[in-house]
Amino acid sequence: MRNIADTIRRLKVKQLVNDSGRISTNTRLSILPDFGLNPGRLRAWKYIPAVLPANAPLVVILHGCTQTAAEYDLGSGWSALADRFGFALLFPEQQRVNNPNLCFNWFSPSQTTRGHGEVLSIRQMIENVIAEHSLDSQRTFITGLSAGGAMTSAMLATYPETFKAGAIIAGLPYGTASTIPEAFDRMRGHGLEDSKTLADRVRQASDHKGPWPLLSIWHGNADKTVLPVNMEAIVAQWHSVHAIGERPVVRIVDGHTLRQWRDSNGTIVIDAYTIAGMGHGTPIRLSGPNSCGRAQPFMLDANISSTWHIAMTWGLLDGERKPAVGLEPRQLKEPNYQVPPTKSRSAEAIEYALRAAGLMK
C-alpha cells in the first residue's frame, strides 16, 4: 500500500491537472505542495537530480505565456543539464485563475512589490527548496522567458540579495508598466523611460545597496511581440544600477552578437546577446556542440543554446566563467538610452530598435 504522504502527493497532482485542464507528458518535475502563505497563488514544481552534490546551486526558471513549467523545461533542456552537472531547479508556474493566458503578472504593482503577491510567493518557494535540500543560498540564479523574463526583472529588483545572477530572455525592464494597456505599449516599445528613471525603479524596489546580481539578456532582433528596444532598456536600467562606465566589448558567438560590460574589478556584470533573425522565444540549439532542448512553440532553433551559455556563464558546468570565443573585440560608444522622438508609434518603434541595434545612425 502507498504511504499517506505519497497518496496526498498524487491527489494534489490530480487536482492540479484538473485545475489547469492540461498536463504535459514530461513527468520529470515533482510538485512542491506547501511552501508558504503563497499570496500570489502560484504553483511550484522542482527538479532534484538523483545525484546532487552537497551545497549545490539552485536555478529558478519562469515560463512564458501559454506555457507550463514542464513544457518550458522540455523545450529548454534545463533538467537534462541538471542531471549532468548536479544542480537543483525550481519552476514557479502561473495558474489560469490569476491570468487566463498563464502569464506572470509582471505589470501589476500588487504582484511585483517586495513582500507582496507573486514575487513573495516565488521568494517563499526559494526559501523552502533551499532549506529542504540543503542548497547553497549564495548560489541562487533566476531566468525566464517573455512574461517570465519580465518577472525575472521584478525578482532581481525586489529581492536582489537573493540572487547571484539572472538571465532575461525576450523580457522587459522592471517597473515600466502598471496596467495591461501600459504593458502592451511597452512591449511595442512605446513610452519606455530614460535610464536614470528605470534604474531608480530598481534602487527603490528594496533597501538593498549592493552588490547587485550579474545579468545576462537575450533577445531576437526579429521579435515582433516584445520589440528589441526593450533589451536596450534593460541594458540601460542595469548599466546605471551597476554604475559601470566602461564601453562594452563586442564578440560574435555562434553567429550572434554578444556585448559585455565589465565593472572596475574586471568582472563581466552584463551580457547582452542579440540573436540574428530570431522572433519571440528562447534560443536553443538542436544539434552540434552544446545542443540542448527541443523545438516547440516559443523554443526556437537559432543555432545557439541560451540554456547552455547561461549555465556556463554562471559557473554551473564544472568550470569557471569562460569568455566567449569569437572575433577580436572592438569598442562601442557608451550606452545612450533615450526616449524615442515623437513620431507615429510604428515608425518610432522601428527606428529606435534599429538605432539600438546599431543598424541606423
Side-chain angles (χ1 to χ4, degrees), residues 295-359:
Q296 57 186 40
F298 306 113
M299 312 303 291
L300 308 178
D301 185 8
N303 198 41
I304 183 170
S305 170
S306 56
T307 303
W308 179 277
H309 282 278
I310 290 166
M312 182 183 70
T313 296
W314 291 345
L316 301 179
L317 306 187
D318 288 341
E320 299 296 324
R321 183 186 182 91
K322 303 174 184 178
V325 177
L327 300 180
E328 288 299 314
R330 58 184 173 86
Q331 297 296 323
L332 289 185
K333 295 180 180 179
E334 290 286 349
N336 183 22
Y337 178 79
Q338 298 175 342
V339 178
T342 302
K343 295 183 178 181
S344 72
R345 288 196 163 186
S346 59
E348 170 190 311
I350 292 171
E351 178 177 326
Y352 191 68
L354 290 172
R355 289 184 187 280
L359 302 177

Side-chain angles (χ1 to χ4, degrees), residues 15 33 137 157 179 181 189 269 298 315 319 327 346:
Q15 180 183 3
S137 62
T179 65
V269 295
F298 306 113
L327 300 180
S346 59

Side-chain angles (χ1 to χ4, degrees), residues 245-249 260-262 331-335:
E246 185 182 342
R247 296 174 180 177
V249 170
Q260 296 178 313
W261 286 264
R262 296 177 184 268
Q331 297 296 323
L332 289 185
K333 295 180 180 179
E334 290 286 349

